[in-house]
Amino acid sequence: GKVALAFVDLDNFKVINDSLGHAAGDQLLIEIAHRLRSALRAIDTVVRYGGDEFVLIIGEQTSSDDTIHLLERVLSAVQAPLELEGHTLRISCSIGVSVCPDDAQNLENLLRVADVAMYHAKESGKGQYRFYTSDLNQVAQDRFALETALGSAIEHNELTVVYQPKVDGSGQVKGFEALVRWNSAGQGLVTPDR
């Protein structure tokens, strides 16, 4: 059968550590681990991968509906209110899912592509899951290429500053806004939304 690997990352965990302290953060991780375990079946495995990341190994998946059902249970379990240090918290998580053997055949690659899917889930609004697709891998590669090119944009004089006037209601110029534009040698004009 198929096995799903779910890479779970708690959303905004740093805020808990920064505001309530690391001891409270540790208690939260213990509670989340219990919730993850209770949301899954006896044949599934929960592993704390590091920091606020967990890996779920979900075995014997005959259809994506089976996996989706378990992921919905995981999201609900994590998002249920919890008491910590006298505060009622609502934690969410982002989950990236890869399937063996469809997406990869070894643990290292399953983790890598599940991580790609998890970051896509975070970018899509957190508190949700995303299955890995080859399109996501292309998005990750494109972003990596863009970030790498941006690192040398200053050295190659690809960044320019343009000024946009700020005009009041009567048409009088009241100031300027300085905007950076990037005309990449390899990517062309890179728009601010990219």
Side-chain angles (χ1 to χ4, degrees):
K2 295 184 180 186
V3 175
L5 184 143
F7 197 96
V8 179
D9 186 79
L10 300 182
D11 297 327
N12 304 315
F13 179 73
K14 186 178 181 331
V15 174
I16 301 297
N17 273 343
D18 290 349
S19 58
L20 300 179
H22 289 278
D26 290 345
Q27 285 302 116
L28 174 65
L29 291 172
I30 291 168
E31 175 62 26
I32 294 299
H34 289 303
R35 289 178 178 205
L36 292 172
R37 180 73 248 149
S38 69
L40 297 176
R41 305 159 304 165
I43 64 168
D44 302 323
T45 302
V46 176
V47 178
R48 180 170 174 221
Y49 191 66
D52 63 336
E53 299 169 332
F54 294 86
V55 171
L56 314 178
I57 301 171
I58 305 169
E60 298 182 12
Q61 296 302 286
T62 56
S63 73
S64 59
D65 289 341
D66 293 343
T67 309
I68 289 170
H69 176 71
L70 285 171
L71 293 171
E72 294 288 346
R73 283 183 20 195
V74 165
L75 285 176
S76 293
V78 170
Q79 292 172 356
L82 65 95
E83 291 292 322
L84 186 66
E85 301 276 320
H87 301 277
T88 302
L89 304 177
R90 290 188 179 274
I91 303 299
S92 66
C93 64
S94 298
I95 305 172
V97 184
S98 59
V99 177
C100 180
D102 299 352
D103 300 325
Q105 285 77 42
N106 63 50
L107 181 59
E108 180 181 344
N109 287 332
L110 283 167
L111 284 167
R112 182 181 57 80
V113 298
D115 190 43
V116 167
M118 184 273 297
Y119 276 103
H120 185 68
K122 277 196 181 295
E123 289 175 356
S124 299
K126 301 181 181 179
Q128 54 189 306
Y129 58 86
R130 287 288 181 265
F131 282 85
Y132 172 78
T133 64
S134 58
D135 293 343
L136 294 182
N137 198 38
Q138 187 60 50
V139 168
Q141 289 177 2
D142 291 347
R143 182 177 177 102
F144 178 75
L146 189 68
E147 288 178 2
T148 301
L150 181 58
S152 61
I154 293 174
E155 297 167 10
H156 295 104
N157 292 323
E158 295 177 348
L159 300 178
T160 57
V161 178
V162 295
Y163 298 95
Q164 179 174 309
K166 295 173 96 175
V167 181
D168 68 12
S170 66
Q172 294 293 316
V173 175
K174 295 296 182 181
F176 292 91
E177 187 175 41
L179 308 167
V180 175
R181 294 292 181 250
W182 180 20
N183 192 5
S184 169
Q187 309 251 351
L189 185 62
V190 180
T191 59
D193 62 326
R194 285 186 61 211

